[in-house]
Amino acid sequence: MKRLLIVCALALMLALPSLAAASGHVTSIWTYNPAAGEFPEGIAVDKQGNIFVTMAPLGQIRKISPEGTETLFYQLPAGALLTGLAVDAPGNVYVGVFAQGADPGGVWRIDRDGESAARLPGTEKIFLPNGLAFDQQGNLFVTDTYVPNSLPPAGAIWIIPRGGAAQLWLQDSDLLGGVGGVPGYPPLGANGIAFRHNCLYVASTEKGLIAQVPVLPDGSPGALSIVAQGPDLFMIDGIALDVHGVIYAALIGQDRVVAVNPASGIVTQLAGPADGVDGPASLAFGTGGGERQNLYFTNYAILSQAHPGVLKMDVGVPGMPLP
């Protein structure tokens, strides 16, 4: 465990140089019609540069090609509220589905052609699957934003081994639990998640923090610790990492996209309402030549119902490569 903590600490020190380069102009990639219920939540980019976006209330995954054409990639069953997305090395798409404990809730895998889908075994036990992140071995980590009937409210992280069934990996109330302060929602805890150098980084929405947890050699979790916390991170949603370990965060309740220096905890705003940011929910770096420095994010816009869409900005640093 001590060696892993040293590796994580080294990753934090290496994160320092990239913050100076983190700036860029926000560009709109795609706009959606709020009157049609088009509210994009999750986002992921595959190795070919295709952008996948969840239309949360519609149960749809849309695909935006590198040429800028949008198509319906897959339609989930009725009653599915879609959350986060992830893409594996072959290009298959994974999506979190919230259905209040009933079918079709869980994590679904859609083949890369969008022709077939299946719910991963054991994921029906996850109450509110939200953020998804792969490690280098192909294990999929999934945040559960609220564990029902937990007192105090807890959030959790599940692991889905490659080819295996979902298992509860970590449950925590202090850092990953919500407080129940958003009317109409359960307590909002563990949300965005990202993996780098044997460490998971997890956003906790209502606690306004980013936590770090080492993945030990036997695959179990190490001790949780706080990377950054404060009002500048309140209502944090999705996160993404660049190659230096700087954390980029979507603040859905503040209409801001920020960069977080994990060594110091300093939060730097990259874009806000004046740049067209409206309820950002998820982020993903581009792939391929000329795109790896572009940070894509969704305007969920579920509160304002004004400007849902997909936007991008050049942050000057490449994102972590896909596993």
Side-chain angles (χ1 to χ4, degrees):
M1 179 175 178
K2 182 177 180 181
R3 181 177 181 274
L4 277 174
L5 291 176
I6 292 173
V7 171
C8 289
L10 176 62
L12 298 187
M13 290 188 286
L14 292 175
L16 287 168
S18 66
L19 276 180
S23 61
H25 178 68
V26 176
T27 302
S28 176
I29 298 300
W30 204 269
T31 59
Y32 292 106
N33 180 9
E38 295 181 327
F39 294 101
E41 208 279 2
I43 189 169
V45 184
D46 69 12
K47 292 184 177 181
Q48 284 69 49
N50 296 298
I51 303 169
F52 298 90
V53 181
T54 55
M55 290 294 118
L58 301 179
Q60 297 176 351
I61 301 175
R62 305 277 182 90
K63 177 181 177 181
I64 303 173
S65 72
E67 295 74 33
T69 301
E70 194 213 50
T71 56
L72 175 62
F73 178 68
Y74 200 81
Q75 175 72 61
L76 272 292
L81 177 69
L82 306 190
T83 56
L85 283 170
V87 180
D88 66 14
N92 303 300
V93 178
Y94 298 74
V95 60
V97 179
F98 174 55
Q100 300 188 34
D103 285 343
V107 177
W108 286 67
R109 175 189 179 276
I110 299 96
D111 72 78
R112 64 183 185 180
D113 297 321
E115 295 180 354
S116 63
R119 183 170 58 184
L120 300 183
T123 63
E124 70 281 356
K125 300 175 184 177
I126 306 175
F127 179 74
L128 207 173
N130 210 330
L132 290 76
F134 280 101
D135 68 9
Q136 296 299 322
Q137 287 71 47
N139 300 304
L140 180 59
F141 292 89
V142 181
T143 56
D144 192 349
T145 299
Y146 171 59
V147 178
N149 303 317
S150 56
L151 292 174
I157 302 173
W158 291 68
I159 185 172
I160 308 171
R162 178 186 292 180
Q167 307 165 25
L168 180 62
W169 190 71
L170 173 67
Q171 182 172 316
D172 178 82
S173 297
D174 291 338
L175 301 185
L176 302 185
V179 298
V182 181
Y185 289 83
L188 300 175
N191 198 329
I193 189 169
F195 179 87
R196 181 177 184 267
H197 291 178
N198 294 316
C199 293
L200 282 170
Y201 298 87
V202 186
S204 190
T205 298
E206 290 185 294
K207 297 283 179 71
L209 64 82
I210 299 171
Q212 171 188 283
V213 53
V215 181
L216 302 182
D218 64 0
S220 64
L224 274 166
S225 61
I226 295 176
V227 173
Q229 182 176 20
D232 285 343
L233 293 176
F234 177 65
M235 294 305 291
I236 184 174
D237 200 325
I239 61 174
L241 302 176
D242 70 20
V243 293
H244 298 297
V246 170
I247 305 166
Y248 299 81
L251 305 184
I252 190 170
Q254 299 191 41
D255 297 333
R256 297 194 299 145
V257 174
V258 301
V260 182
N261 184 323
S264 66
I266 293 174
V267 178
T268 303
Q269 178 169 313
L270 302 180
D275 304 294
V277 182
D278 183 4
S282 300
L283 317 95
F285 274 93
T287 60
E291 289 294 317
R292 288 194 59 204
Q293 295 186 160
N294 284 326
L295 181 67
Y296 292 86
F297 62 93
T298 57
N299 264 358
Y300 190 20
I302 195 66
L303 297 178
S304 71
Q305 303 205 355
H307 305 292
V310 176
L311 302 88
K312 74 173 181 178
M313 62 188 305
D314 185 343
V315 298
V317 182
M320 283 290 293
L322 294 175

